Amino acid sequence: MRASHQDLWKLLEGSKQFVVPIFQRNYNWTEEQCVQLWNDVLQAADAPANGGHFLGSIVYTAAGPQEATFSRWLVIDGQQRLTTLSLLLAALRDHIQDSGWAGEGGPTSAEIDSRFLQNAFKTGDQKPRLVLRRNDDRTLRKIVEGSQESIDDPASEVDDAYQLFRGVIASSDPAEIYKGLGNLKIVDVMLEPPLDNPQLVFESLNSTGVDLSQADLIRNFILMGLPEEEQNRIYCSYWRLIESEFEGSHWAIDNCARDWVALRRKATRQIRTDRIYVEFREEYRRLTAGGESVDAVLADLLQFSKGYAAFVLRRGPGKDLGAALGELRRHVDVPAMLVARLFRCYHDLRTLNESEFAESIRLIESYIVRRQVCGLQTRGYWSVFANIAYGLDEDCPSKSLEMLLARRQASYRFPSDEEFERALFEDNLYGARVCRPLLEGLENAGHLERVDTDRFQIEHVMPQVLSEPWKQMLGERWEEIHQTWLHRLGNLTLTAYNPLYSNRGFQEKKVIPGGFEDSAVRLNKFISKQDKWTAQQMSNRGKMLAARALGIWCHHGIAEDQIARIEFEELRNKAKASDPDSVEMTDLVRNLFQRFRERLQEIDREIIELAARKSVSYFGPAFAFEVLPRKTRLLLLLAPEFHEIDDPSGLATKNTYKFLVNCQNEGGVLFDLDREERIAPAIGLVRQALNLADAE
């Protein structure tokens, strides 16, 4: 590496060309940064002799072999400053030319052009001193060449900066501006591969992560180490297409890369936002070191990004699919990885048609909506959907998704129809995040003529503050009815006239202009036909809406016994692959364990024996008991609660431990098996545990 502190002029002068590599960001300085640089130039103009103003560093490396009369350099860091200075110089040149300014000892437009903007004795691609990427370069060339021709899709940031400088220079002294530019100082850093690694230098210069997104760092990492021709090929074939998928939402590329890494690794935890680049870099190196080509890795990322973008941007190739993706995205954003896998099945593998894809998306929405309505845990959803994505069978994705959702355990279960219907009817939904999308879904689902609800508000038919007419209509129990039914689904609707309705009486709410009788909202049809609004009407409407919700946000339809059979079969296969003889235990305890197993095998029924590293669990088919080897004994943990078993021996004890060393399951009874005489009573307890497990 060669670094020197010198004047900006010395860097720019000479027959040379600076090229911003294709992997770098577009020019993105705003008015704020341009004005700051302008102020720096003015400040530098007032600097004393041999003084100046430090502008920062410009880091570059050779772009291939250098010619004797022409050098070409790739800009590693400093492209924003370099571009802005070129635009300022072009604006100064054009002002001098257009105004006819000719100050004594001042620059001419031709001097600025030939010293800093264009190589006077070169033609074609070697003519410009600075080459940017894509639209930026077309716009810069138009400005530098002084072309009056318009171009398609100009880079507005480049043109905006140029126009800004034309404006401020018009009321300034060109000689002072030129002097200020001449007093600017930079650190000129030239890298010398292979001794200097451009990527490592780039990372250290951008270690704060303030200016570059994680996706910017990823793009630069992939492309920077490649020859320039290969950079262009890889960028155009893959990364440009990825960027185009997220047009207008480039921030989402960070999340896409994060979830792609998780999918490749089958990660159990979501990568931290500030670690996306680092984790991507490690995974990329692992994959390429393992034999995958750069093309293969990026082709996989590109394919993943298409489905990811479809979800993030709520768009699909068909109207039905786009609507389904949009509805799901309104509720939650974490299923993006799962949607991307389903998209692959639809778009690439053709194992999912458009209708099935839309139904799969609606099933995921049903899972989310049902859980929100039932007030179930929402933390940890990323892991839930990631695990479903990992387990999805691409040969039959629709059925696979149904089964994977059906088999969510405990706090992440798929609520049943009964649980969902009860919550819809009985729970207070107003104020819950799901309330508005629930009402909007009840209004529009299944209808081709959708009502635009964007301007609507949630309305309490029976208002939050009761007037005397309301109390009289509700009767003696008005206070109890109000407290019970106010925030329930049966009393909630949508309207654009919420302020007008206020706490007016029911009959007045019906007949005023824009009232329920005049409403085009389907949710208000039942209300408009009622003569009064009491607990009975709210109950009837609540049941009606709950029944409709069951048809919109459907259950997965997998029967419990079918799930049990599949889980039992999987458990059996897993048990066949395990070996109880490999469980760690002393010789004394192993002898006791073998005697216990001999007696266990006498029980006339199928028992699944699943060995872990330091314990053995038994199922029949549900968990029945677990054997935990200790130094001189076996500890039996039985699944039943203590009051559920009959213990004639009196040797069993209630499990009061919150945590048992090496334990894989939960149980309510402990039994010490420390000698052979205790095997018989242990088998008696085991029989009971197996019978209870069989009954579950």
Side-chain angles (χ1 to χ4, degrees), residues 251-473:
W251 55 268
I253 302 178
D254 287 3
N255 295 340
C256 178
R258 177 198 61 197
D259 283 357
W260 177 80
V261 171
L263 181 62
R264 294 300 298 249
R265 292 179 174 177
K266 291 186 169 46
T268 57
R269 292 184 179 180
Q270 191 175 33
I271 297 169
R272 277 191 355 227
T273 302
D274 62 344
R275 294 275 304 171
I276 294 172
Y277 163 63
V278 174
E279 299 297 335
F280 180 95
R281 183 183 63 191
E282 291 181 5
E283 183 63 14
Y284 181 89
R285 286 172 173 168
R286 184 187 70 82
L287 293 171
T288 52
E292 288 197 46
S293 66
V294 173
D295 287 83
V297 173
L298 293 181
D300 188 61
L301 178 59
L302 172 59
Q303 181 278 319
F304 182 80
S305 72
K306 292 178 180 178
Y308 205 94
F311 175 65
V312 170
L313 303 181
R314 309 181 189 190
R315 67 188 184 200
K319 185 177 180 181
D320 189 39
L321 183 52
L325 288 167
E327 288 300 316
L328 176 59
R329 184 72 174 81
R330 289 182 61 199
H331 291 285
V332 69
D333 60 2
V334 288
M337 186 197 308
L338 174 56
V339 173
R341 285 217 68 194
L342 289 168
F343 186 91
R344 167 177 161 80
C345 296
Y346 160 74
H347 186 268
D348 298 297
L349 303 179
R350 305 295 183 184
T351 55
L352 198 65
N353 61 39
E354 184 176 329
S355 175
E356 291 169 334
F357 191 3
E359 284 302 312
S360 294
I361 298 301
R362 280 191 279 268
L363 183 62
I364 299 171
E365 183 194 354
S366 294
Y367 174 71
I368 294 294
V369 170
R370 284 182 175 230
R371 290 182 56 80
Q372 287 178 328
V373 168
C374 294
L376 297 177
Q377 179 173 311
T378 58
R379 289 180 293 107
Y381 267 166
W382 183 89
S383 295
V384 170
F385 288 111
N387 286 325
I388 294 174
Y390 304 155
L392 192 72
D393 185 346
E394 292 185 336
D395 291 330
C396 49
S398 182
K399 291 296 182 184
S400 174
L401 176 65
E402 290 178 3
M403 184 58 69
L404 288 165
L405 284 170
R407 293 181 60 185
R408 294 302 93 197
Q409 298 297 317
S411 57
Y412 291 106
R413 69 185 182 279
F414 198 122
S416 66
D417 283 349
E418 293 76 13
E419 188 178 5
F420 184 43
E421 187 174 27
R422 182 171 60 252
L424 285 164
F425 182 71
E426 297 179 357
D427 289 0
N428 292 333
L429 297 179
Y430 182 73
R433 181 182 176 184
V434 73
C435 185
R436 183 180 179 88
L438 178 72
L439 290 169
E440 290 174 334
L442 288 167
E443 173 67 21
N444 282 320
H447 295 285
L448 294 177
E449 297 179 340
R450 298 175 65 85
V451 175
D452 183 1
T453 59
D454 286 347
R455 295 180 296 104
F456 289 4
Q457 293 175 290
I458 298 174
E459 164 71 13
H460 291 81
V461 182
M462 175 182 63
Q464 299 191 61
V465 178
L466 294 181
S467 61
E468 280 303 319
W470 270 104
K471 293 177 183 179
Q472 292 175 13
M473 183 173 64

Side-chain angles (χ1 to χ4, degrees), residues 90 196 616 640 661:
D196 299 320
V616 185
V661 177

Side-chain angles (χ1 to χ4, degrees), residues 192-213:
E192 299 178 351
L195 296 177
D196 299 320
N197 185 319
Q199 176 62 24
L200 294 179
V201 173
F202 179 82
E203 288 180 23
S204 65
L205 290 169
N206 294 278
S207 59
T208 60
V210 173
D211 294 327
L212 295 176
S213 70

